[in-house]
Amino acid sequence: MSDDVLDAVTATGASFEVVPCDPDLADTAAFCATYGYDLDQSANAIVVVGKGDPRIYVCCLVLATTRLDVNGVVRKRLERKKASFASADETAEITGMQIGGVTPYGLPADLPLWIDSRIMDVPDVIVGGGSRDRKLLVPPESLAALPGAEIVEALAKPAE
């Protein structure tokens, strides 16, 4: 875990647990199945790009049991005609983290963090740990306490 990630999660003042994992099992479904976590207590940090000039980025955090509403809520909040998931390369360039390890902790100061409101209803949530070899088990309040974090109603839709 990078010092930035550890410093950011520690700075929230909340207790947390570092959960080691096999990097080959870092993707949410594989991680949950292997390590015994429920998908409804696991959240994915997804970088989205609003197309246009200039391109604008946001990190969205949604439960694994939901789908990020990229073409509805996210696109409208970005005030862009088009939005899409950032590529793996863009995500790594912007966050310094690989997909499967992206965490809301330690993000660049100029990258907004939008958190789906459903996450606030989970007692503890498992999120990326900054690299593919670990996750963080955290209370949702520590996510809401991050700089630039905003709780957004209906940021995601239930998965079908």
Side-chain angles (χ1 to χ4, degrees), residues 72-125:
V73 175
V74 176
R75 181 185 58 78
K76 289 174 186 163
R77 287 179 60 90
L78 289 173
E79 298 179 345
R80 291 292 197 257
K81 291 183 180 179
K82 293 185 180 181
S84 64
F85 297 116
S87 69
D89 288 342
E90 279 179 301
T91 297
E93 183 179 324
I94 290 163
T95 67
M97 302 173 229
Q98 289 183 315
I99 290 176
V102 178
T103 185
Y105 300 98
L107 291 173
D110 61 346
L111 184 65
L113 172 63
W114 295 346
I115 302 168
D116 183 69
S117 60
R118 290 173 185 88
I119 290 172
M120 302 312 293
D121 297 331
V122 178
D124 288 299
V125 65

Side-chain angles (χ1 to χ4, degrees), residues 132-149:
R132 291 183 59 88
D133 65 354
R134 68 194 79 224
K135 303 284 184 185
L136 298 171
L137 184 64
V138 300
E141 298 78 26
S142 75
L143 296 162
L146 290 170

Side-chain angles (χ1 to χ4, degrees), residues 6-7 13 17 24 37 61-62 67 87 104 124 126 135 148 159:
L6 185 56
D7 290 348
E17 180 182 342
D24 291 336
Y37 290 90
L61 189 68
V62 300
R67 285 190 349 249
S87 69
D124 288 299
I126 194 104
K135 303 284 184 185

Side-chain angles (χ1 to χ4, degrees), residues 36-52:
Y37 290 90
D38 292 330
L39 286 173
D40 61 3
Q41 76 173 131
S42 181
N44 294 318
I46 303 163
V47 177
V48 175
V49 56
K51 308 278 177 91

